[in-house]
Amino acid sequence: MEQYEPDRLTPAQAAAMRRSLRNGRAAMTRRSLLRASAGGALTVGGLGALSGCGIPAAGQTQGGTSAQDHSAEEKVVNFSNWTEYVDVDDSGKRHPTLETFRRRTGVTVKYTEDINDNNEFFGKIKPQLAAGQATGRDLIVLTDWLAARLIRLGWVQKLDPSNLPHAYTNLSPQFRDPDWDPGRAYSYPWQGIPTVIAYNKKALDGIEVKSVSDLLDNPRLKGRVSFLSEMRDSIGMTLLDMGKDPAKFTDDDFDAVTARLQKAVDKGQIRRFTGNDYTSDLTKGDIAACVAWAGDVVQLKADSPDVDFVIPDSGYMTSTDNMLVPNKARHKTNAERLIDFFYEPEQAAALAAYINYATPVDGVQPYLAKIDKDAANNPLIVPDKAMQAKSHSFRSLSQKEETAYEEKFAKLTGA
């Protein structure tokens, strides 16, 4: 098992974390681009939590450390999630799916929106996990790369398949077998996060954009192109464009991508690397085309007829936010029942209709059509088989690779 050694952050890694909090995944709203950002400042304590003395992993065997399960006598599950990442009624105070779960099972979901950024949240829970103590949470949602690390550290528990019949049956093939959790023994996706090419038809004025090569090489787009400040998205999309597999690339492949992007930066082709703040420039037409998050595109299209997207023939990147049960969770069975609940197509449809991310649940479309026909027919929300076939994931990175790649990417983006 990997030993937990809280590495002191390099300047590049610290810059990447601050960038993420300001305008990356941490700042992405889950419902409306017009709402306030969910991100917050990364405190000194947050940085400090990731640096210090090496602490061994809490679990001694693969599969994490369990605790006595009090699910039967304590009808509760403590669920930590990102902001604006579950359905809310018109009052803004009630979560209909969570209330349906309570009525059906008698289990109350104590729902907390206390995840603003993967690294920041890791710093919050790592002292307890590293010490073999409970975090006070039964279910957490983390992006795939951090979920992978917690699994390697033995800090999350292996799930009981007998409590997950709907999840096992209805999980989309697209998400079934990530290299960091083969067969989904420790995690189930909450939502998928596709990365695509978005464009403003009016700003393009007849220019054809179908690939990353078009973004990088068409001189008519000089200074009107942006890429994402999240490394895995921009690097992954460019790897695909160069005929490389993001699940199997080498150091040389990474260097070739950064060299290609650097060339586009040097000649002024790329306007800038952005978080989701590209949305304003895209809507106004200051950016004609860009690498974009599908959740943003869905919402932009609803408000701006000029905005649309394309899936390159080379494919597109998809990451996932994932549900995990941390070590020493007090209500593991209740947490597993909640995971399984959200893999019932009717409940998954209610969730997808509200947050507009890619659902990982098969069989959602007819239920979603009853709520929102446009959403049900949107491949960014309900990927069809052709869309699923073009999906690719970024491979797991070692800590050494993570450090090296972030430093190179930070130099490229000027972070």
Side-chain angles (χ1 to χ4, degrees), residues 15-316:
M17 290 169 61
R18 293 190 181 97
R19 185 173 67 244
S20 179
L21 280 167
R22 284 197 306 271
N23 58 14
R25 286 291 319 287
M28 292 173 65
T29 61
R30 303 294 175 176
R31 178 59 181 168
S32 171
L33 297 172
L34 301 178
R35 294 184 182 180
S37 163
L42 181 63
T43 65
V44 173
L47 283 171
L50 293 172
S51 60
C53 299
I55 303 173
Q60 298 304 309
T61 59
Q62 187 77 355
T65 305
S66 62
Q68 183 177 354
D69 193 346
H70 296 271
S71 293
E73 66 271 19
E74 297 177 4
K75 299 295 186 179
V76 66
V77 57
N78 298 297
F79 184 9
S80 285
N81 203 349
W82 296 68
T83 57
E84 296 190 58
Y85 213 13
V86 74
D87 54 313
V88 181
D89 70 359
D90 291 340
S91 73
K93 298 178 180 179
R94 295 173 56 252
H95 304 298
T97 53
L98 299 183
E99 293 201 0
T100 298
F101 178 77
R102 178 188 57 78
R103 287 194 300 270
R104 183 192 298 179
T105 65
V107 175
T108 297
V109 180
K110 292 186 177 179
Y111 186 77
T112 307
E113 295 181 328
D114 60 346
I115 304 178
N116 290 316
D117 173 79
N118 285 290
N119 279 311
E120 181 189 43
F121 187 71
F122 180 71
K124 186 184 299 185
I125 63 175
K126 77 93 185 175
Q128 293 93 348
L129 292 174
Q133 300 170 352
T135 66
R137 299 168 176 88
D138 303 305
L139 193 63
I140 57 178
V141 176
L142 298 175
T143 305
D144 43 22
W145 60 268
L146 184 55
R149 189 165 196 211
L150 263 66
I151 291 170
R152 291 197 307 268
L153 288 165
W155 286 1
V156 295
Q157 297 185 55
K158 197 168 188 176
L159 302 173
D160 183 350
S162 68
N163 292 326
L164 299 161
H166 295 97
Y168 179 81
T169 300
N170 296 328
L171 176 60
S172 168
Q174 179 181 354
F175 302 106
R176 275 195 181 271
D177 203 33
D179 68 344
W180 49 271
D181 186 15
R184 291 289 181 180
Y186 299 90
S187 69
Y188 269 89
W190 176 250
Q191 296 291 288
I193 310 166
T195 301
V196 299
I197 293 176
Y199 59 86
N200 184 307
K201 288 178 279 191
K202 186 175 181 180
L204 284 179
D205 193 25
I207 301 172
E208 188 173 69
V209 171
K210 291 185 176 181
S211 68
V212 169
S213 287
D214 291 333
L215 298 182
L216 294 175
D217 300 332
N218 190 328
R220 295 174 63 190
L221 294 176
K222 182 177 180 179
R224 298 194 296 143
V225 167
S226 68
F227 277 65
L228 291 170
S229 58
E230 296 291 340
M231 177 187 73
R232 288 165 175 82
D233 296 311
S234 288
I235 295 294
M237 289 292 282
T238 311
L239 279 165
L240 288 170
D241 189 73
M242 297 173 68
K244 302 295 184 179
D245 185 349
K248 299 178 181 177
F249 70 91
T250 65
D251 288 348
D252 288 343
D253 294 331
F254 187 93
D255 289 343
V257 167
T258 54
R260 187 179 184 201
L261 291 171
Q262 186 67 59
K263 181 178 179 181
V265 170
D266 293 343
K267 69 181 182 181
Q269 184 76 8
I270 296 177
R271 183 186 184 97
R272 62 193 181 107
F273 290 83
T274 75
N276 75 322
D277 51 328
Y278 66 85
T279 54
S280 176
D281 287 343
L282 182 64
T283 302
K284 291 186 296 184
D286 293 339
I287 289 175
C290 61
V291 176
W293 285 304
D296 290 345
V297 177
V298 170
Q299 296 173 34
L300 287 175
K301 278 173 60 64
D303 298 325
S304 176
D306 291 326
V307 173
D308 212 334
F309 73 97
V310 64
I311 303 297
D313 288 340
S314 59
Y316 67 101

Side-chain angles (χ1 to χ4, degrees), residues 31 298 302 349-356 364-378 381-382:
R31 178 59 181 168
V298 170
L351 189 62
Y354 187 83
I355 61 179
N356 293 160
V364 162
Q365 194 165 35
Y367 295 96
L368 185 54
K370 295 177 183 179
I371 305 171
D372 186 336
K373 288 184 178 179
D374 289 340
N377 294 319
N378 190 330
I381 299 175
V382 185

